[in-house]
Amino acid sequence: MARVAIVTGGSRGIGEAISLALRDEGFTVVANYAGNDERAKAFTAATGIPTMKWDVGDHEACLAGCQQVAEQFGPVDAVVNNAGVTRDGVLHKMSFEDWNDVMRINLGGCFNMAKATFSGMRERGWGRIVNIGSINGQAGQYGQVNYAAAKSGIHGFTKALAQEGAKFGVTVNAIAPGYIDTDMVAAVPAPVLEKIVAKIPVGRLGQANEIARGVAFLCSEHAGFVTGSTMSINGGQHMY
Ligand code: CAA
C-alpha cells in the first residue's frame, strides 16, 4: 500500500511542488491549506491531489485534521511542515500580532503536526518529518525578527525531535531554502529583492521544484540514515 504524506501549505508555491514530487515518488498525498479555497480547488482539479483545510497554528485543528486524513487514507507516514507566513517589518514597527502570528503558524505548526502524527510513526517503526526552515533562520534577515526566530526555532526543533525518532525509524530533517520564486518572495519590495538576488552566487532565484526534489529524497527509503540534518538549497547565498 502507498505511504500517506501530508504537506502543509501544500496547494501553492513550494508546497505545491512538494505535493507533486511526493506523489511522483508514489506517496498518497494530502495537501493541507489554510485560506485560499479557490486555489485549493484549482490545485485538486489540475492534479487530482485532495486538499484539506485547517490552520496549522491551531493545535486542536491539527489533531482533528490528521485524524481525518488517517481515517480516509490510512496512517500518516510522512509530514512536510511547509506552511508559513511572513509579517516583515523592523522591530520598532512590528506589532505583537505580527510576532505572534509568525511564531504560532511557522513554528507552532511544526509542533502541532508532529504531535498529531509522530506517535503513530514511532509505533509503526517508520516515519518521515521534513520541516521547511529558511536561510533567514540560519543567517538572520533585516526586518524579520519574527520569521528568523521561528525558522531558527524550526532548525532546533528538527535536531531535537530527530534524536527522539532515530531508534524508531522516524527521521526528522529540515530544508533551508534560500530565495525561491514564489508569491512570498515576490512580496519583497523590488529594490530590496534586487539587492538580495545580487548576492546569490548562482545569480537567480531558486525554483520551487528545486526544494521539492530535496524533500522527496528526505522522504524516500534511501534517506533512512539521514536524520537531524539541514539541507541548504540557496544558490550558494549562505554556506553553513
Ligand atoms: N541592512 C541594513 N539596513 C537596511 C537593510 C539591510 N538589509 N535593508 C534596509 N535597510 C535600511 C534602509 O537602507 C533604510 O535606511 P535609510 O532610512 O537610512 O535609507 C532603512 O533600513 C529602512 O528601510 P526600508 O525603507 O526598507 O524600511 P521599511 O520599514 O519601509 O521596510 C522592511 C522594512 C519591511 C523590512 C523591508 O526592508 C523589506 O521588506 N525587506 C525584505 C525582508 C526580506 O528579505 N524578507 C524575506 C521575505 S521572503 C522569505 O522570508 C522567504 C525565505 O525564507 C527566504
Side-chain angles (χ1 to χ4, degrees):
M1 238 185 46
R3 295 194 187 277
V4 174
I6 300 176
V7 181
T8 68
S11 63
R12 293 200 301 139
I14 293 174
E16 175 178 14
I18 294 169
S19 294
L20 292 170
L22 291 183
R23 198 255 325 255
D24 290 349
E25 291 296 314
F27 283 88
T28 297
V29 176
V30 177
N32 149 272
Y33 75 102
N36 194 334
D37 294 316
E38 222 169 87
R39 177 63 211 151
K41 230 187 242 174
F43 168 80
T44 300
T47 64
I49 297 174
T51 55
M52 280 194 197
K53 185 176 185 176
W54 73 82
D55 172 1
V56 296
D58 178 334
H59 186 70
E60 297 302 324
C62 285
L63 298 181
C66 291
Q67 166 122 22
Q68 202 188 330
V69 171
E71 280 165 15
Q72 249 178 279
F73 299 96
V76 179
D77 300 303
V79 170
V80 183
N81 285 311
N82 164 75
V85 296
T86 50
R87 301 278 188 271
D88 292 356
V90 287
L91 177 78
H92 67 273
K93 294 184 195 165
M94 186 179 287
S95 66
F96 176 71
E97 205 179 11
D98 289 340
W99 164 264
N100 204 39
D101 277 354
V102 171
M103 296 305 286
R104 184 181 69 81
I105 296 167
N106 297 17
L107 181 55
C110 291
F111 174 79
N112 295 335
M113 289 299 294
K115 271 299 275 186
T117 56
F118 182 75
S119 298
M121 294 177 188
R122 196 173 174 272
E123 279 157 23
R124 292 187 301 277
W126 198 94
R128 297 283 187 264
I129 295 179
V130 180
N131 301 315
I132 304 301
S134 168
I135 186 174
N136 294 347
Q138 297 171 310
Q141 169 61 39
Y142 185 99
Q144 282 201 313
V145 294
N146 49 3
Y147 188 87
K151 292 296 189 180
S152 190
I154 286 175
H155 293 302
F157 176 87
T158 299
K159 291 172 196 175
L161 190 59
Q163 294 179 31
E164 298 182 21
K167 65 172 184 259
F168 300 99
V170 182
T171 68
V172 186
N173 292 287
I175 290 196
Y179 282 72
I180 308 300
D181 190 7
T182 59
D183 291 348
M184 184 184 272
V185 166
V188 174
V192 177
L193 188 57
E194 266 168 40
K195 282 189 202 152
I196 291 170
V197 175
K199 288 189 189 143
I200 303 175
V202 167
R204 62 171 174 85
L205 294 176
Q207 293 301 314
N209 195 45
E210 293 175 304
I211 304 303
R213 298 317 311 171
V215 175
F217 168 67
L218 292 171
C219 288
S220 73
E221 297 294 341
H222 307 296
F225 200 57
V226 185
T227 196
S229 77
T230 300
M231 189 189 285
S232 295
I233 306 180
N234 62 28
Q237 190 184 346
H238 181 65
M239 299 185 186
Y240 181 69

